[in-house]
Amino acid sequence: MNAGDTAWVLASAALVMLMTPGLAFFYGGMVRSKSVLNMLMLNFIALAVVSVLWALYGYSLSFSNDAFSGLVGNLDFATLKNTMGHLVGAASPDGKTPWPGPDAIPALSFVMFQLMFAVITPALISGAIADRAKFWSWTLFMALWVTIVYFPVAHWVFNFNGYTGADNKGGWIANTLGAEDFAGGTAVHINAGAAGLALAIVLGRRVGWRKDPMRPHNVPFVLLGASLLWFGWYGFNAGSALSAGDLAATAFTNTTVATAAAVLGWLIIEQIRDGKPTTVGAASGAVAGLVAITPACGFVNPLGALAIGVLAGALCALAVGLKYKLGFDDSLDVVGVHLVGGLVGTLLIGFFGTSSANPGIAKDGFFFGGGFSLLTKQAIAAFAVMGYSFIGALVIGFLIKVTIGFRAARDVEVAGIDEAEHAESAYEFGGFSGGSVRGTGGKAVDGAGSAAVLEGSKA
Amino acid sequence: MKLVTAIVKPFVLDDVKSALEQLGVLGMTVSEVQGYGRQKGHTEVYRGAEYAVDFVPKLRVEVVTDDLNADKVVDAVVGAARTGKIGDGKVWVTPVDTVVRVRTGERGADAL
């Protein structure tokens, strides 16, 4: 077992965990004040639900030995059996060190690291249905979607032959097709983006969309959330090296350069188009850059990362306006940022991928003399995940809609979903709402208390 | 008695307040309000979507005064609130039937 690698993977798991609350604030700031709690809860509940499912069977479906044609794992690791006290790792490429190889880490550190990916992916989808989703319907959707879509897709993309066991077979994209996805451009971002589009269609547009102003209620939250995402993303990307070495440092550097370039790309488009660089734009540009560099961060050099970042920032800034033309209310631009950004990063590996950054890359990209063969593989992987996730989310969402209902009633949505779904309101500014406390079992107490008599009060 | 109501730009409040203090006005009520006149609103942009924000933040300053001083109060507010640019606001005067000081029960001009 490699103690340094273990420490890095455990620390990275904790970093990625922070991304989900970070995302909650990024999204929460963008909705109206009457539905911010619902938005936070749609995200936070992912930590609860997916963690339980992951321990029961999710990790097994994703990472145990292949059950069927590289599509899904079997139940060898269900309830996390065969993981405690076991290692994961890869035999050294030269064959001198057999599995689990020199970078072996405890299986459970890998279980926890990968869990955090499974948590944030469905949370990303929630931005498409802000302000109008019933909480328990969403929770059920999430449980079904991770089971039917995410766990298999993680198997396709992240389960490499001979990693969780010497003879274990993994998924088809990673092993048979040989497309490259370092940290989840397909499995996380294209996956979530396509599902977001499906749900935006299933739930329909918000009341007053394109007519009423739906201004972000707390722009500082948006920037704070994006900053937490950026911070956590170092675990996501550099942690995906699963080893504390060169490759992790490369991924860390590329993540930084691409994100910085994407902020500039987005702001330049805004300055030209709208005449002002906005705070929401800077936050969105950072997230777009992080999304795009996710699949590529372990396969490109810093100059490639810069190009991917600036392109992702600019393209996503243009893409977020498309929903108004196409007529679907993807409220917080899950499609414009995650689907578009994920596609940009996944496909651009086909151009910028280089064995100088990672000798393990399947093939050099177009700009490094490898022709279009890597790009073809990347496109197949991207569109396979996009199609599967879109159809899966559309069917699950539609079934929930016609059975228990997915969308809050119109009057609830107009009044604010927080009160109807959660019996809370986000902000209390010391105003007077009247009323009294019920259900605490106590008698009414004089506001001034029995001992102290305040100056000026009627003693 | 008269109620002088002024809608002014938020940043002139200190000037209005000290002008009224110099006149000997002993109290006022200030509230944050939103609205528009000829100035109209402004435009905000979020992710490329433009929102026309019609209502502009203003302050409403209310002073109850006796009939003789009403014009002086109006002149003081107008003088302090004027910047000469569009959106400086409005001041109007309405008659008041009676005023009662809650603490003492005094009525009319004595309650001012």
Side-chain angles (χ1 to χ4, degrees):
Chain A
M1 183 171 67
N2 187 315
D5 292 342
T6 305
W8 174 234
V9 171
L10 284 172
S12 291
L15 282 168
V16 182
M17 179 272 160
L18 189 63
M19 290 172 69
T20 297
L23 179 73
F25 280 99
F26 179 65
Y27 280 170
M30 275 190 277
V31 300
R32 290 165 289 174
S33 58
K34 61 187 179 181
S35 49
V36 54
L37 294 178
N38 181 251
M39 193 72 251
L40 298 179
M41 284 289 279
L42 298 190
N43 285 272
F44 200 74
I45 196 65
L47 279 163
V49 170
V50 180
S51 299
V52 169
L53 297 181
W54 190 249
L56 291 178
Y57 61 83
Y59 176 69
S60 195
L61 293 185
S62 298
F63 287 102
S64 69
N65 198 11
D66 187 57
F68 181 70
S69 300
L71 293 176
V72 67
N74 64 26
L75 293 175
D76 284 353
F77 297 144
T79 67
L80 299 185
K81 63 177 185 271
N82 304 319
T83 57
M84 260 194 295
H86 288 66
L87 297 173
V88 295
S92 62
D94 55 18
K96 283 182 189 153
T97 320
W99 186 89
D103 296 337
I105 56 174
L108 283 176
S109 64
F110 182 66
V111 171
M112 285 296 102
F113 180 66
Q114 283 293 342
L115 160 65
M116 301 311 170
F117 286 59
V119 166
I120 195 169
T121 306
L124 291 168
I125 303 169
S126 64
I129 54 167
D131 296 340
R132 59 197 187 283
K134 287 186 185 169
F135 177 73
W136 288 121
S137 302
W138 160 255
T139 307
L140 177 63
F141 171 84
M142 198 167 52
L144 292 171
W145 186 84
V146 292
T147 302
I148 296 165
V149 178
Y150 183 80
F151 298 156
V153 169
H155 181 75
W156 303 356
V157 176
F158 291 142
N159 192 4
F160 288 88
N161 288 344
Y163 189 76
T164 57
D167 302 317
N168 274 7
K169 292 273 177 271
W172 70 276
I173 287 181
N175 303 291
T176 314
L177 176 65
E180 299 293 6
D181 184 352
F182 195 74
T186 55
V188 175
H189 297 289
I190 292 175
N191 207 356
L197 177 60
L199 276 200
I201 293 168
V202 169
L203 269 82
R205 304 164 194 170
R206 285 171 292 177
V207 177
W209 187 63
R210 280 199 293 204
K211 188 167 66 69
D212 298 344
M214 295 180 177
R215 286 190 287 169
H217 90 284
N218 191 331
V219 175
F221 267 6
V222 177
L223 195 66
L224 176 71
S227 305
L228 288 172
L229 280 168
W230 190 339
F231 180 72
W233 223 294
Y234 287 120
F236 204 88
N237 285 0
S240 288
L242 296 172
S243 173
D246 268 345
L247 193 54
T250 299
F252 197 112
T253 305
N254 286 338
T255 301
T256 309
V257 172
T259 307
V263 172
L264 296 173
W266 189 299
L267 291 182
I268 288 166
I269 292 291
E270 281 196 334
Q271 181 67 48
I272 294 168
R273 183 186 58 194
D274 311 323
K276 292 280 194 297
T278 69
T279 311
V280 171
S284 309
V287 174
L290 289 161
V291 168
I293 201 60
T294 292
C297 61
F299 300 112
V300 300
N301 61 32
L303 208 57
L306 196 155
I308 290 172
V310 76
L311 281 169
L315 286 172
C316 291
L318 296 168
V320 292
L322 284 177
K323 63 183 181 185
Y324 297 108
K325 293 195 175 73
L326 300 175
F328 60 91
D329 181 9
D330 167 19
S331 313
L332 309 181
D333 301 306
V334 182
V335 176
V337 175
H338 293 276
L339 182 57
V340 172
L343 283 170
V344 166
T346 301
L347 296 177
L348 286 181
I349 298 172
F351 292 92
F352 292 103
T354 167
S355 50
S356 68
N358 186 343
I361 193 169
K363 226 163 161 37
D364 274 322
F366 180 74
F367 294 145
F368 293 88
F372 285 116
S373 102
L374 183 57
L375 180 64
T376 309
K377 292 171 192 289
Q378 296 303 110
I380 292 170
F383 289 103
V385 172
M386 186 164 82
Y388 182 62
S389 176
F390 179 79
I391 291 166
L394 201 64
V395 171
I396 298 166
F398 183 74
L399 288 177
I400 290 174
K401 182 180 175 177
V402 297
T403 51
I404 60 173
F406 211 144
R407 187 165 171 165
R410 187 189 162 88
D411 57 334
V412 164
E413 187 186 327
V414 172
I417 195 166
D418 285 356
E419 194 192 318
E421 282 291 310
H422 305 291
E424 292 173 301
S425 46
Y427 303 104
E428 207 285 320
F429 290 119
F432 34 87
S433 58
S436 59
V437 180
R438 284 187 298 195
T440 50
K443 286 181 189 162
V445 176
D446 183 353
S450 52
V453 176
L454 300 178
E455 185 186 351
S457 71
K458 297 179 182 178
Chain B
M1 288 165 295
K2 305 285 190 198
L3 169 65
V4 179
T5 305
I7 306 293
V8 298
K9 287 181 170 171
F11 70 88
V12 304
L13 179 63
D14 276 351
D15 293 341
V16 170
K17 182 162 150 276
S18 50
L20 290 172
E21 276 167 356
Q22 278 174 13
L23 265 187
V25 172
L26 294 172
M28 68 188 73
T29 304
V30 180
S31 37
E32 294 181 56
V33 295
Q34 301 192 68
Y36 65 84
R38 285 176 204 174
Q39 180 190 9
K40 288 291 184 185
H42 61 274
T43 305
E44 295 183 5
V45 188
Y46 298 98
R47 283 186 168 169
E50 282 196 16
Y51 294 119
V53 179
D54 290 337
F55 296 123
V56 188
K58 298 281 175 185
L59 292 182
R60 177 173 57 205
V61 181
E62 290 165 306
V63 176
V64 183
T65 177
D66 57 43
D67 293 350
L68 291 174
N69 282 321
D71 281 345
K72 285 189 204 153
V73 168
V74 170
D75 291 344
V77 171
V78 169
R82 178 180 291 149
T83 69
K85 298 204 184 86
I86 197 163
D88 272 353
K90 297 269 187 297
V91 180
W92 60 86
V93 181
T94 43
V96 172
D97 283 348
T98 188
V99 174
V100 183
R101 174 170 283 125
V102 173
R103 175 166 56 85
T104 59
E106 290 164 289
R107 286 178 173 263
D110 292 340
L112 292 178

